Amino acid sequence: MSSVTLRGTPSPVPVSKIICVGRNYAAHAKEMKAEIPEQPVLFLKPPSAILHDGGTIVIPKISRDLHHEVEMTVLIGRGGKNIDEHSALSHVAGYGVGLDMTLRDVQSEAKKKGLPWTLAKGFDTSAPLSEFVPAAAISDPHALEVELRVNGAVRQRGNTSSFIFRLERLISLISTHFTLEKGDVIFTGTPEGVAQAVPGDTLEATLRTPGGTPLSLLTVRIGQA
Ligand code: MG
């Protein structure tokens, strides 16, 4: 079973499911020519899509346009159904950074035809995840910077203070649709600057404190099937 690492915890945490939020930054919704949603857009990735630090993203043969989306990620520590917003953050075990790798050409075709995004979003290696930092070590999860460098150059940078839907609302709402379980991972949406990644590229994602101290790092490469 696919698992992730929570810093300070000796054994890996098995992942039950991965829930992703689309369009949680206004500037990204704009660059995708999409409306700012009244409700979060949700989709799933299978846990088999997880890739760890140091791994290689393999572009499937069905695509010629792989895009990166850097996102703050949340590891659920305590499950629940219909979680209320006031207690939502107490269900979080840790925070990290991840890449919601997307086959943009396959997704665009699916959008046009009204088909699901599963192939565009859930392929093997589409969910690179960093080590998670214990929630107790983070005073305000809505004041964290996420950054992505490609071959050393900054491509995406955002701050979780710009979320359209804050974590309390996301966790509460997600738990009305999907019972949250220990080991579930949430991708919280990407800031602007999504773009193509090609074989040979090195992607470095960072989660930082408001003061600029790196909390968690993720480095992966791009390869071709
Ligand atoms: Mg995304």
Side-chain angles (χ1 to χ4, degrees), residues 2 12-13 25 36 44 46 66 70 73 85 94 96 99 104-105 111 115 121-122 144 160 162 174 183 210 224:
S2 301
V13 181
Y25 289 83
I36 292 173
L44 300 172
L66 173 73
V70 69
T73 52
E85 291 191 23
L99 293 166
R104 196 67 76 197
D105 47 355
K111 281 181 178 173
L115 295 171
K121 292 284 198 178
L144 299 175
T160 57
S162 306
I174 288 169
Q224 186 86 54

Short mmCIF file of all heavy atoms in Angstrom, two decimals, residues 2 12-13 25 36 44 46 66 70 73 85 94 96 99 104-105 111 115 121-122 144 160 162 174 183 210 224:
data_model
loop_
_atom_site.label_atom_id
_atom_site.label_comp_id
_atom_site.label_asym_id
_atom_site.label_seq_id
_atom_site.Cartn_x
_atom_site.Cartn_y
_atom_site.Cartn_z
N SER A 2 0.48 2.26 -0.75
CA SER A 2 1.25 3.50 -0.81
C SER A 2 1.21 4.21 0.53
O SER A 2 0.19 4.20 1.22
CB SER A 2 0.68 4.41 -1.89
OG SER A 2 0.72 3.76 -3.13
N PRO A 12 6.01 4.61 8.26
CA PRO A 12 5.26 5.32 7.22
C PRO A 12 3.75 5.27 7.47
O PRO A 12 3.26 4.32 8.08
CB PRO A 12 5.61 4.56 5.94
CG PRO A 12 6.79 3.72 6.26
CD PRO A 12 6.75 3.45 7.73
N VAL A 13 3.05 6.29 7.01
CA VAL A 13 1.60 6.35 7.18
C VAL A 13 0.94 5.87 5.89
O VAL A 13 1.14 6.47 4.84
CB VAL A 13 1.15 7.81 7.47
CG1 VAL A 13 -0.36 7.87 7.68
CG2 VAL A 13 1.91 8.39 8.66
N TYR A 25 -7.08 29.39 -5.87
CA TYR A 25 -6.42 30.71 -5.91
C TYR A 25 -7.06 31.47 -7.08
O TYR A 25 -7.12 30.93 -8.21
CB TYR A 25 -4.92 30.57 -6.20
CG TYR A 25 -4.06 30.01 -5.09
CD1 TYR A 25 -3.95 28.63 -4.90
CD2 TYR A 25 -3.30 30.85 -4.27
CE1 TYR A 25 -3.13 28.10 -3.91
CE2 TYR A 25 -2.47 30.33 -3.29
CZ TYR A 25 -2.39 28.96 -3.12
OH TYR A 25 -1.56 28.45 -2.15
N ILE A 36 -14.35 31.85 -10.77
CA ILE A 36 -14.06 31.54 -9.37
C ILE A 36 -15.27 30.75 -8.85
O ILE A 36 -16.40 31.23 -8.91
CB ILE A 36 -13.82 32.83 -8.56
CG1 ILE A 36 -12.52 33.47 -9.04
CG2 ILE A 36 -13.77 32.53 -7.07
CD1 ILE A 36 -12.22 34.81 -8.47
N LEU A 44 -10.27 13.11 -7.38
CA LEU A 44 -9.45 12.15 -6.62
C LEU A 44 -8.26 11.68 -7.45
O LEU A 44 -8.32 11.66 -8.68
CB LEU A 44 -10.29 10.92 -6.26
CG LEU A 44 -11.54 11.14 -5.39
CD1 LEU A 44 -12.34 9.84 -5.31
CD2 LEU A 44 -11.15 11.59 -3.99
N PRO A 46 -5.63 8.14 -7.24
CA PRO A 46 -5.43 6.91 -6.48
C PRO A 46 -4.11 6.98 -5.70
O PRO A 46 -3.16 7.61 -6.17
CB PRO A 46 -5.36 5.83 -7.57
CG PRO A 46 -4.92 6.55 -8.79
CD PRO A 46 -5.41 7.97 -8.69
N LEU A 66 2.52 17.69 -20.32
CA LEU A 66 2.47 17.52 -18.86
C LEU A 66 2.66 18.89 -18.20
O LEU A 66 3.59 19.63 -18.53
CB LEU A 66 3.61 16.60 -18.43
CG LEU A 66 3.82 16.44 -16.92
CD1 LEU A 66 2.72 15.59 -16.30
CD2 LEU A 66 5.19 15.81 -16.63
N VAL A 70 2.07 23.19 -8.26
CA VAL A 70 2.60 23.03 -6.90
C VAL A 70 1.50 23.38 -5.89
O VAL A 70 0.75 24.34 -6.10
CB VAL A 70 3.87 23.90 -6.68
CG1 VAL A 70 3.55 25.38 -6.66
CG2 VAL A 70 4.59 23.49 -5.40
N THR A 73 -0.04 20.54 0.81
CA THR A 73 -0.78 19.29 1.03
C THR A 73 -1.05 19.11 2.52
O THR A 73 -0.31 19.61 3.37
CB THR A 73 0.01 18.08 0.50
OG1 THR A 73 1.33 18.13 1.04
CG2 THR A 73 0.10 18.10 -1.02
N GLU A 85 -16.49 23.04 10.95
CA GLU A 85 -15.35 23.90 10.64
C GLU A 85 -14.51 24.22 11.89
O GLU A 85 -13.30 24.35 11.80
CB GLU A 85 -15.82 25.19 9.97
CG GLU A 85 -16.36 24.94 8.57
CD GLU A 85 -16.59 26.22 7.77
OE1 GLU A 85 -15.97 27.26 8.07
OE2 GLU A 85 -17.43 26.16 6.84
N GLY A 94 -0.46 16.71 9.62
CA GLY A 94 0.73 17.39 9.12
C GLY A 94 0.47 18.13 7.82
O GLY A 94 -0.56 17.95 7.16
N GLY A 96 2.47 19.52 4.11
CA GLY A 96 3.62 19.30 3.23
C GLY A 96 3.43 20.04 1.92
O GLY A 96 2.60 20.94 1.80
N LEU A 99 2.95 17.97 -5.80
CA LEU A 99 2.77 18.40 -7.19
C LEU A 99 1.57 17.65 -7.76
O LEU A 99 1.57 16.41 -7.79
CB LEU A 99 4.03 18.11 -8.02
CG LEU A 99 5.26 18.94 -7.64
CD1 LEU A 99 6.52 18.34 -8.26
CD2 LEU A 99 5.08 20.38 -8.09
N ARG A 104 -2.30 18.13 -19.39
CA ARG A 104 -3.22 19.23 -19.72
C ARG A 104 -3.99 18.96 -21.02
O ARG A 104 -5.17 19.31 -21.13
CB ARG A 104 -2.45 20.56 -19.82
CG ARG A 104 -3.34 21.78 -19.77
CD ARG A 104 -4.02 21.96 -18.42
NE ARG A 104 -3.10 22.47 -17.42
CZ ARG A 104 -3.32 22.42 -16.10
NH1 ARG A 104 -4.44 21.89 -15.62
NH2 ARG A 104 -2.44 22.88 -15.25
N ASP A 105 -3.32 18.33 -22.00
CA ASP A 105 -4.02 18.04 -23.26
C ASP A 105 -5.14 17.01 -23.05
O ASP A 105 -6.24 17.15 -23.58
CB ASP A 105 -3.03 17.57 -24.34
CG ASP A 105 -2.04 16.50 -23.87
OD1 ASP A 105 -2.02 16.16 -22.66
OD2 ASP A 105 -1.28 15.99 -24.72
N LYS A 111 -12.54 17.83 -20.66
CA LYS A 111 -13.45 18.95 -20.36
C LYS A 111 -14.40 19.20 -21.53
O LYS A 111 -15.59 19.38 -21.34
CB LYS A 111 -12.64 20.24 -20.09
CG LYS A 111 -12.04 20.32 -18.70
CD LYS A 111 -11.28 21.65 -18.55
CE LYS A 111 -10.70 21.81 -17.15
NZ LYS A 111 -9.84 23.01 -17.05
N LEU A 115 -16.10 14.52 -19.98
CA LEU A 115 -15.63 13.25 -19.40
C LEU A 115 -14.84 13.50 -18.11
O LEU A 115 -14.36 14.61 -17.88
CB LEU A 115 -14.74 12.52 -20.41
CG LEU A 115 -15.45 12.06 -21.70
CD1 LEU A 115 -14.43 11.55 -22.71
CD2 LEU A 115 -16.47 10.98 -21.39
N LYS A 121 -5.29 13.21 -14.40
CA LYS A 121 -4.87 13.59 -13.06
C LYS A 121 -4.38 12.42 -12.19
O LYS A 121 -3.73 12.65 -11.18
CB LYS A 121 -6.05 14.25 -12.32
CG LYS A 121 -6.48 15.62 -12.88
CD LYS A 121 -5.50 16.70 -12.45
CE LYS A 121 -6.11 18.10 -12.59
NZ LYS A 121 -5.15 19.14 -12.11
N GLY A 122 -4.73 11.19 -12.58
CA GLY A 122 -4.48 10.08 -11.64
C GLY A 122 -3.47 9.05 -12.09
O GLY A 122 -3.32 8.00 -11.46
N LEU A 144 1.61 30.22 4.81
CA LEU A 144 2.76 29.46 4.32
C LEU A 144 2.98 29.74 2.84
O LEU A 144 2.03 29.95 2.08
CB LEU A 144 2.53 27.95 4.52
CG LEU A 144 2.33 27.49 5.97
CD1 LEU A 144 1.99 26.00 5.99
CD2 LEU A 144 3.56 27.78 6.81
N THR A 160 -0.57 30.59 1.13
CA THR A 160 -1.84 29.98 1.51
C THR A 160 -2.82 31.00 2.09
O THR A 160 -3.99 30.71 2.26
CB THR A 160 -1.64 28.81 2.49
OG1 THR A 160 -0.93 29.30 3.64
CG2 THR A 160 -0.81 27.69 1.85
N SER A 162 -3.84 33.32 0.42
CA SER A 162 -4.66 33.70 -0.74
C SER A 162 -5.73 32.65 -1.10
O SER A 162 -6.41 32.80 -2.11
CB SER A 162 -3.78 33.89 -1.98
OG SER A 162 -2.76 34.80 -1.72
N ILE A 174 -15.32 18.57 2.33
CA ILE A 174 -14.86 17.27 1.78
C ILE A 174 -15.46 16.13 2.60
O ILE A 174 -15.93 15.13 2.06
CB ILE A 174 -13.32 17.20 1.75
CG1 ILE A 174 -12.76 18.12 0.66
CG2 ILE A 174 -12.85 15.76 1.52
CD1 ILE A 174 -11.25 18.33 0.72
N GLY A 183 -4.64 9.09 7.28
CA GLY A 183 -3.80 8.78 6.13
C GLY A 183 -4.32 9.33 4.81
O GLY A 183 -3.67 9.18 3.78
N PRO A 210 6.35 31.95 7.08
CA PRO A 210 6.27 33.36 6.69
C PRO A 210 7.65 34.02 6.71
O PRO A 210 7.92 34.93 5.92
CB PRO A 210 5.35 33.98 7.75
CG PRO A 210 4.58 32.85 8.31
CD PRO A 210 5.45 31.63 8.20
N GLN A 224 10.24 10.05 -19.57
CA GLN A 224 9.28 9.71 -20.63
C GLN A 224 9.01 8.22 -20.62
O GLN A 224 9.94 7.45 -20.45
CB GLN A 224 9.87 10.14 -21.98
CG GLN A 224 8.95 9.99 -23.16
CD GLN A 224 8.06 11.21 -23.36
OE1 GLN A 224 8.56 12.30 -23.46
NE2 GLN A 224 6.76 10.99 -23.41
#
